[in-house]
Amino acid sequence: MFKGWRMKRKVERRRRDFARKVDGLEKAYPTIDWKPFRDITGFFADRSLSSVEEQAFLYRLAAAAPADAQVIEIGSWLGQGTCTLAAPLRGNAARCYAVDAFACWSDTPGENAHYRRLLDQVSPGRSQLQIFEAHVARFGLEKRIQVVQGDSRQAAGRLPLKPASADLVFIDGGHDLETVRLDVANYLPFLKPGGVAAFHDFSSTCGVPEALWEAIRAGTFADLLGIHGSLIAFRKA
Ligand SMILES: C[S@@+](CC[C@H](N)C(=O)[O-])C[C@H]1O[C@@H](n2cnc3c(N)ncnc32)[C@H](O)[C@@H]1O
């Protein structure tokens, strides 16, 4: 009973903290509609792989994209990032492409077992893709989000986009050096000059920092747009 009471207090504290943070965002960025963000981030609170600050940055990047923007997310897991990117887009032609193996799968050692455990906690008996689709439907984003299922190394060839036509690319799939290198090589060419490239886990010990550093040295980016937690975004040169 004592344990249950402590858990309830913890959940209430987390809710209050979240509400306070979103109030702050509404004050800081009054031109953005934060209602969908509040709904999505509140819903995913107990199954999130990123912080509220990181999600808010992603949401702001998508909100700043032009009407009918084309967005690509590599690594969609259960759809939190996908919904966060898709919700603030404007225009009937706006799309967010969700590239993922949807098989609790990764080349990064240890990640497979980690994803399988997380999935069992969220909803035992249902597949990653079933849960992803249910989340997308919950927020009414079925028309705006398009699944591109498969290994990101091959899936790039199946994206219905021309080179230099996308407005925002978010790289958050496999985190080992080789996979991030390939995701950079295969997906950044889809970005328009001036489009936005965002990376999660750039400050961790995985392959992201090194792959990113290689891209920076190669002159891929024109500007640094911001850093929030372990999420970093650049404007493409
Ligand atoms: C960190 S999670 C993505 C989190 C998500 N962006 C979010 O904001 O909630 C990484 C996802 O990428 C997938 N993944 C890892 N390596 C991949 C690859 N090479 N091709 C396709 N998907 C991959 C994993 O199975 C997992 O679903």
Side-chain angles (χ1 to χ4, degrees), residues 47-50 58 73-82 99-108 111 115 128 150-153 170 172-176 179 183 200-201:
R47 62 194 72 174
S48 183
L49 298 182
S50 52
L58 212 53
E73 179 188 44
I74 297 104
S76 297
W77 183 226
L78 301 182
Q80 175 170 17
T82 330
V99 178
D100 198 297
F102 289 105
C104 278
W105 172 84
S106 167
D107 269 339
T108 310
E111 276 193 350
Y115 288 133
Q128 183 187 338
D151 185 331
S152 62
R153 286 162 279 211
F170 174 39
D172 191 22
H175 284 49
D176 57 288
T179 304
D183 286 345
H200 195 217
D201 296 312

Side-chain angles (χ1 to χ4, degrees), residues 3 5 31 45 70 72 119 127 131 135 139 148 165 180-181 198 206-207 218:
K3 203 172 155 203
W5 174 77
T31 56
Q70 303 298 300
I72 309 168
L119 200 67
S127 72
I131 301 173
H135 289 162
F139 298 106
V148 183
S165 65
V180 186
R181 263 188 192 140
C206 60

Side-chain angles (χ1 to χ4, degrees), residues 2-237:
F2 184 61
K3 203 172 155 203
W5 174 77
R6 269 214 324 230
M7 182 57 79
K8 205 170 149 209
R9 288 259 318 243
K10 200 172 149 196
V11 170
E12 276 166 13
R13 208 174 319 121
R14 206 168 53 199
R15 273 204 200 116
R16 272 200 307 275
D17 185 45
F18 169 63
R20 191 177 45 76
K21 282 180 181 166
V22 186
D23 290 349
L25 288 164
E26 277 175 343
K27 279 206 190 86
Y29 306 100
T31 56
I32 296 178
D33 174 13
W34 289 95
K35 165 86 174 63
F37 179 81
R38 219 180 255 279
D39 294 344
I40 294 165
T41 310
F43 172 75
F44 281 99
D46 63 348
R47 62 194 72 174
S48 183
L49 298 182
S50 52
S51 68
V52 175
E53 288 75 10
E54 292 167 343
Q55 293 145 26
F57 186 33
L58 212 53
Y59 190 81
R60 285 201 289 120
L61 292 173
D68 295 327
Q70 303 298 300
V71 176
I72 309 168
E73 179 188 44
I74 297 104
S76 297
W77 183 226
L78 301 182
Q80 175 170 17
T82 330
C83 292
T84 302
L85 286 165
L89 298 179
R90 294 162 291 119
N92 290 335
R95 290 288 173 277
C96 181
Y97 298 95
V99 178
D100 198 297
F102 289 105
C104 278
W105 172 84
S106 167
D107 269 339
T108 310
E111 276 193 350
N112 292 31
H114 171 66
Y115 288 133
R116 187 72 44 224
R117 250 193 327 272
L118 287 179
L119 200 67
D120 282 345
Q121 280 165 18
V122 173
S123 187
R126 285 202 301 163
S127 72
Q128 183 187 338
L129 185 58
Q130 282 170 333
I131 301 173
F132 173 90
E133 284 174 344
H135 289 162
V136 168
R138 180 186 177 94
F139 298 106
L141 292 166
E142 300 98 316
K143 286 207 179 105
R144 200 171 281 171
I145 291 172
Q146 196 170 314
V147 165
V148 183
Q149 185 170 9
D151 185 331
S152 62
R153 286 162 279 211
Q154 282 95 47
R158 285 188 278 112
L159 268 180
L161 287 174
K162 294 199 171 72
S165 65
D167 300 279
L168 173 53
V169 171
F170 174 39
I171 297 190
D172 191 22
H175 284 49
D176 57 288
L177 178 58
E178 228 15 70
T179 304
V180 186
R181 263 188 192 140
L182 285 168
D183 286 345
V184 166
N186 290 334
Y187 291 91
L188 291 198
F190 283 109
L191 261 187
K192 295 171 179 166
V196 175
F199 299 81
H200 195 217
D201 296 312
F202 89 96
S203 61
S204 66
T205 54
C206 60
V208 180
E210 196 169 334
L212 191 49
W213 183 231
E214 288 170 3
I216 292 168
R217 277 202 310 247
T220 310
F221 308 117
D223 287 316
L224 173 63
L225 291 175
I227 297 176
H228 292 268
S230 199
L231 187 70
I232 192 164
F234 301 87
R235 198 171 289 294
K236 194 185 170 195

